[in-house]
Amino acid sequence: MNKVKKPELLIPASSLEVLKTAVNYGADAVYIGGEAFSLRAKARNFSKEDMIAGVKYAHDHGVHVHVTANILAHNYDLKGAEEYFHELKEIGPDALIIADPGMFMMARRICPEIEIHVSTQANNTNYETYKFWYNLGAKRVVAARELSLAEIKEIRANIPDDLEIESFIHGAMCISYSGRCLLSNYFTGRDANHGACTHPCRWKYAVVEESRPGEYLPVYENERGTFIFNSKDLCMIEHIPELIDAGINSFKIEGRMKTALYVATVARTYRKAIDDYFESEEKYRANMPWYQDEIARCTYRQFTTGFYFGKPSEESQIYDSNTYVNEYTYLGIVDSINDKGLARLEQRNKFSVGETIEIMKPDGRDIETLVKAIYAEDGTQQESAPHPQQLIDIELETVPEAGDILRIHAPQNGNLR
């Protein structure tokens, strides 16, 4: 394994809190969006101040930061984009993720010292496209999700050695070609290509015959339901060797709308899988049950390998539901421990004294512990923590550390936030 460079593990972050979680739980790099020009407009995203703090925190821990500016720009976007690139030049992230050729050339002109990575949104499906972007100055190109590993391997063999390939290896799959969808814009006026997708591919549909308006004919797929566009989530935890063999330089996790619990779970699991494989393939194979168990503990829609081993079949779709599988509820991140051993956190979902919860640690350990007491910020003791974002101090049977994540195996106790 010494001859092959270990791939980068690239983790999404929706906020400064989640960025710190990604860094603490194993990311080599994180990708984030600003408050504009990013394809996740509904994510909280980063203010300038948070971006400065996030870049500093990541760099202090040896982690890179990539900033998305991957909208498909209209004329009215260009003036603001130019101002934004000047702002990013001051902040100093390690890379910009861009899809639009005009945005690409603007970034090259304003901040040539920052690497440009070409987004999957640019539909990069062949080695001539990769070489095109390389000749314009791109450092990395993100593979379209529609490529097989065999195609990626062929691309690797036909592009310069110093041009990097980034590929999604885990997370939600888009029903449209590399994310270029018009459904959201058509139905709601919210443009997916401007970051405002409402995910109509997850909705339930029926057919209406033109001459019989109002008479809805349900759509059935083998009598399993009507969620005809609802793809399973991508998961390649069992195929790390094949991804490395294909020549992929960066393993990208989808999910800039996800919680810190999701980010921590996925980052920690893939971190261990990659590190184990580079120690020995035998260790990687032996630990597979742990990876599979852990990765199933974060929110997901059932798993598929997408296009990597050929065209997906109907087995890659979920026809009877649009809901997630959710085995754990996120309670919060431990901010600090006081001199009495109480853990301070901003609580995210309800839990109560007497319940058994889990302390999720960056090193892979999950420690069950009893909630012995809960105190409000003013020191008042309370039986439960029912209000999201309440600052509380909790006494646990096992004292956690700052940065640990608390979760509970009881999804009915709350909704992910």
Side-chain angles (χ1 to χ4, degrees):
M1 298 308 303
N2 294 334
K3 296 179 181 178
V4 180
K5 186 179 178 182
K6 190 181 288 188
E8 171 189 85
L9 179 58
L10 179 57
I11 302 295
S14 59
S15 66
L16 182 57
E17 176 189 64
V18 178
L19 179 147
K20 290 179 178 179
T21 299
V23 170
N24 296 340
Y25 279 76
D28 295 308
V30 294
Y31 65 102
I32 66 176
E35 293 177 320
F37 311 110
S38 163
L39 277 182
R40 284 293 180 269
K42 288 197 293 180
R44 281 183 288 172
N45 291 319
F46 283 69
S47 65
K48 182 179 179 181
E49 294 72 26
D50 279 355
M51 197 176 289
I52 291 169
V55 169
K56 183 180 188 309
Y57 187 86
H59 287 175
D60 286 348
H61 290 79
V63 172
H64 288 178
V65 178
H66 307 166
V67 177
T68 58
N70 55 345
I71 67 164
L72 303 182
H74 289 250
N75 292 332
Y76 53 76
D77 294 310
L78 297 180
K79 183 178 179 182
E82 186 164 351
E83 294 170 357
Y84 185 50
F85 287 136
H86 280 291
E87 197 171 274
L88 291 174
K89 184 180 180 75
E90 296 175 23
I91 295 171
D94 300 280
L96 305 176
I97 304 172
I98 295 175
D100 184 279
M103 296 277 281
F104 183 103
M105 298 309 292
M106 186 185 294
R108 287 283 293 157
R109 171 171 53 83
I110 295 170
C111 37
E113 71 281 6
I114 302 177
E115 287 184 7
I116 297 184
H117 299 172
V118 180
S119 171
T120 189
Q121 194 79 1
N123 304 145
N124 308 300
T125 57
N126 64 78
Y127 54 77
E128 289 295 341
T129 295
Y130 276 66
K131 289 190 284 188
F132 167 83
W133 288 115
Y134 178 78
N135 290 332
L136 287 176
K139 173 66 176 176
R140 178 184 295 182
V141 178
V142 186
R145 284 184 174 91
E146 295 75 27
L147 292 180
S148 67
L149 287 175
E151 288 176 293
I152 293 174
K153 193 169 185 177
E154 185 177 4
I155 289 171
R156 177 76 275 166
N158 286 277
I159 62 174
D161 290 342
D162 61 338
L163 178 58
E164 297 175 350
I165 298 174
E166 178 178 301
S167 294
F168 284 95
I169 65 161
H170 192 94
M173 297 286 285
C174 184
I175 194 65
S176 188
Y177 204 89
S178 285
R180 293 193 174 194
C181 187
L182 292 176
L183 284 179
S184 180
N185 203 351
Y186 181 79
F187 287 136
T188 69
R190 292 172 57 171
D191 191 350
N193 298 314
H194 265 65
C197 185
T198 53
H199 303 289
C201 55
R202 311 299 182 199
W203 300 351
K204 190 173 183 177
Y205 288 91
V207 172
V208 177
E209 201 276 321
E210 185 177 10
S211 64
R212 287 179 278 187
E215 187 175 329
Y216 295 99
L217 311 175
V219 179
Y220 291 106
E221 292 282 345
N222 296 335
E223 301 181 349
R224 285 178 292 184
T226 60
F227 295 91
I228 57 175
F229 297 142
N230 193 28
S231 171
K232 293 179 180 180
D233 282 357
L234 178 66
C235 177
M236 292 293 285
I237 196 70
E238 298 175 33
H239 303 286
I240 299 295
E242 295 96 321
L243 293 167
I244 291 168
D245 180 65
I248 298 168
N249 304 98
S250 179
F251 290 178
K252 187 171 193 173
I253 307 297
E254 182 276 336
R256 278 200 300 115
M257 301 284 285
K258 300 290 190 179
T259 67
L261 175 59
Y262 174 93
V263 165
T265 303
V266 177
R268 188 179 71 164
T269 307
Y270 277 95
R271 174 78 279 145
K272 181 166 174 54
I274 294 166
D275 291 348
D276 286 351
Y277 179 70
F278 273 79
E279 188 174 327
S280 77
E281 185 165 351
E282 292 74 22
K283 183 174 184 179
Y284 168 73
R285 299 294 178 193
N287 285 334
M288 186 61 66
W290 186 87
Y291 313 143
Q292 292 168 327
D293 181 61
E294 282 297 308
I295 210 69
R297 295 185 181 204
C298 64
T299 309
Y300 68 100
R301 278 193 191 90
Q302 302 176 35
F303 290 134
T304 176
T305 55
F307 290 79
Y308 279 128
F309 297 101
K311 299 292 185 185
S313 68
E314 69 278 0
E315 295 302 314
S316 296
Q317 298 296 112
I318 305 171
Y319 297 108
D320 58 356
S321 170
N322 71 342
T323 59
Y324 287 95
V325 178
N326 173 23
E327 295 184 6
Y328 279 81
T329 297
Y330 174 43
L331 301 182
I333 301 173
V334 177
D335 179 69
S336 59
I337 306 295
N338 69 18
D339 54 7
K340 296 180 181 178
L342 300 180
R344 167 64 60 94
L345 76 153
E346 184 181 83
Q347 172 261 350
R348 297 304 171 88
N349 283 288
K350 181 181 177 180
F351 65 102
S352 303
V353 173
E355 287 190 292
T356 298
I357 66 172
E358 274 191 4
I359 302 170
M360 181 182 173
K361 290 185 168 290
D363 63 12
R365 290 178 295 153
D366 299 319
I367 301 172
E368 286 194 346
T369 186
L370 183 72
V371 181
K372 297 176 72 175
I374 299 175
Y375 300 92
E377 198 173 4
D378 63 4
T380 305
Q381 195 162 351
Q382 52 191 64
E383 287 302 307
S384 67
H387 305 298
Q389 298 184 308
Q390 179 187 5
L391 280 176
I392 56 174
D393 293 307
I394 59 173
E395 181 184 356
L396 300 176
E397 195 170 44
T398 301
V399 179
E401 298 174 281
D404 287 348
I405 283 179
L406 304 183
R407 64 185 183 183
I408 188 168
H409 191 277
Q412 69 272 20
N413 280 1
N415 297 314
L416 286 171
R417 291 184 178 86

